[in-house]
Amino acid sequence: MLSHPVWIASVLVVSISATAPAFSAFGMLSFVEQPIEYYTDLYDQRKALLEGGGYRGASEEESNLFEASDLALKKIVQADNKQERYLALSEYAEAELALYDHGNLSGAERYSYEAESLLYRELSQLDDPVPYCSSDEMPALNYLSFVFAQNSPLFWLLPIVVSGFLVLLLSERKKLVGCAPYSSASLALASWIAAVLLSVSMVALAMLPGFLLTLVRNGLGDVAYPVVFTQSEKVLHYSLGVTLLKQIELLLLAASFITIVEIALSRLTGSETLGAVAAAAMCLMPTISGYMDSAAMEAEAQTVLAYLPTTYLSFGPIAGFPGAYQAVEILSIPGASFERGVLVLTLSTVFIAALGAGAFAIVRGVKRMRRGYA
């Protein structure tokens, strides 16, 4: 099976897509850390404003808020090391958030200040705090999570469809699990397990070159590196290690769901090709323009999306990733989340398996009845 041309071609396509960002300095939509000169100039302007009586007429509460912001700016400018600077940046974002809540700032969403404050505070606790804004700068673990999230989900779903197709094709020809006298249900279960394991192995193999390249060039990275992002105006925070585990879990669940759909359709129609085409069409859904952005949809459609398994086939917006742009939601579908995605994909897999088994039993019973009357 591993020498099949389709399998080899799929691994090569996915491998190229997963390795290219390590060479091309793939820029991501990420917050851009301002140089120290920016804060120095801003601090000088604020200091001149204060000395010129610019805060005259402000209430005592407003004056305290502006003073807290100015003090944080001073700490940024006078910081002796990265840890002190990021801690001061966190305090500055908190001060800006307080001004926003008081009505003195506009032009940005509240969650952007909250996310910035949390990210900078977490960075300040690292031994070597570095915000990565380009894929060629990332250490191996950051790169792995970034590529898995930022590349089109088709690159990760293609191996699942191909693996299911090859397993079904070979089992039908008695070359794999079909060589043993298994029952129909046992054959389907064995095909499902084999397809899931093969697809996950395929993705891992395809990602290996990019991982090794960034490992040699930039090091392994830190599993404690903070991952901060916003979903439906809610700021979420995880470590890089937890984020990677969530991405792997989604991949396993997606593989389980897609392969069970492929197997069920193939058994009902008697065509492995038809099952693969239907599974591939389903994988295309989260890549349709506007699917993951509910802003252009009616409220009813937004509600439905959170309960569709196809919503959770796009891993980046669901599990998050390092370097997410703080001022933009990576997922704006109300009710959609990683936890709901796990539940929806699991229940959908069980439902399709039961529905497929029931439908196949009915079809087989009808065929037996027809043979009995013939």
Side-chain angles (χ1 to χ4, degrees):
M1 180 187 298
L2 300 184
S3 61
H4 197 287
V6 175
W7 194 89
I8 295 174
S10 300
V11 171
L12 287 175
V13 168
V14 178
S15 182
I16 290 171
S17 73
T19 308
F23 290 99
S24 60
F26 185 87
M28 58 184 171
L29 183 61
S30 121
F31 76 98
V32 178
E33 185 186 14
Q34 300 290 352
I36 188 63
E37 291 77 16
Y38 168 81
Y39 294 103
T40 301
D41 292 342
L42 185 58
Y43 175 66
D44 290 339
Q45 293 172 16
R46 291 278 191 89
K47 185 177 180 181
L49 181 65
L50 180 62
E51 292 174 350
Y55 297 154
R56 190 179 297 118
S59 67
E60 182 179 354
E61 183 179 3
E62 288 176 327
S63 297
N64 291 337
L65 292 175
F66 283 120
E67 286 176 7
S69 179
D70 293 342
L71 179 59
L73 275 175
K74 183 178 181 181
K75 289 181 179 179
I76 295 172
V77 173
Q78 297 180 350
D80 293 326
N81 53 54
K82 290 182 179 180
Q83 285 82 0
E84 288 185 8
R85 183 183 178 193
Y86 283 117
L87 183 58
L89 283 167
S90 174
E91 294 176 0
Y92 178 67
E94 289 178 2
E96 295 292 281
L97 176 60
L99 286 168
Y100 179 90
D101 288 339
H102 196 265
N104 297 98
L105 288 180
S106 61
E109 298 293 343
R110 186 184 191 281
Y111 58 74
S112 65
Y113 296 110
E114 184 182 350
E116 268 196 46
S117 174
L118 180 56
L119 176 63
Y120 285 135
R121 186 169 295 277
E122 292 297 323
L123 282 173
S124 71
Q125 297 176 17
L126 299 179
D127 293 333
D128 183 25
V130 179
Y132 302 103
C133 300
S134 183
S135 55
D136 65 338
E137 302 172 349
M138 298 177 183
L141 292 177
N142 294 65
Y143 180 84
L144 201 65
S145 180
F146 165 76
V147 169
F148 197 68
Q150 291 290 73
N151 270 12
S152 170
L154 285 180
F155 288 117
W156 318 122
L157 301 179
L158 172 65
I160 299 174
V161 176
V162 169
S163 297
F165 174 74
L166 292 178
V167 168
L168 287 169
L169 193 64
L170 295 180
S171 64
E172 279 297 314
R173 294 179 180 179
K174 311 294 183 181
K175 291 181 179 178
L176 190 61
V177 291
C179 62
Y182 292 153
S183 66
S184 179
S186 298
L187 180 62
L189 177 61
S191 298
W192 175 65
I193 294 174
V196 171
L197 293 177
L198 181 62
S199 61
V200 173
S201 301
M202 202 171 175
V203 171
L205 181 62
M207 297 189 77
L208 187 60
F211 176 79
L212 292 177
L213 175 63
T214 52
L215 175 64
V216 172
R217 188 171 61 191
N218 303 325
L220 180 63
D222 188 350
V223 292
Y225 190 88
V227 177
V228 179
F229 56 95
T230 305
Q231 290 180 344
S232 300
E233 299 188 3
K234 182 180 180 181
V235 177
L236 300 176
H237 162 239
Y238 301 99
S239 68
L240 177 59
V242 170
T243 301
L244 282 167
L245 290 176
K246 290 169 66 177
Q247 291 175 330
I248 293 171
E249 185 174 352
L250 283 176
L251 175 64
L252 285 169
L253 290 172
S256 300
F257 171 68
I258 293 169
T259 51
I260 203 66
V261 169
E262 197 170 356
I263 290 171
L265 288 174
S266 298
R267 294 186 67 198
L268 289 173
T269 62
S271 171
E272 296 82 13
T273 302
L274 185 58
V277 169
M282 182 178 64
C283 293
L284 285 171
M285 290 185 65
T287 68
I288 296 174
S289 178
Y291 182 96
M292 299 301 290
D293 183 7
S294 65
M297 299 182 181
E298 299 293 335
E300 293 78 8
Q302 294 181 20
T303 303
V304 171
L305 285 179
Y307 295 93
L308 293 180
T310 48
T311 299
Y312 302 100
L313 299 182
S314 183
F315 309 131
I318 304 301
F321 54 93
Y325 187 38
Q326 310 306 313
V328 175
E329 298 172 296
I330 64 171
L331 180 68
S332 58
I333 298 176
S337 65
F338 170 77
E339 291 74 18
R340 177 161 290 175
V342 170
L343 181 63
V344 168
L345 286 173
T346 301
L347 293 179
S348 298
T349 301
V350 173
F351 175 75
I352 294 297
L355 184 64
F360 183 75
I362 293 173
V363 170
R364 186 170 55 181
V366 170
K367 288 181 178 179
R368 287 178 177 174
M369 289 178 61
R370 287 178 177 175
R371 286 197 297 267
Y373 285 117

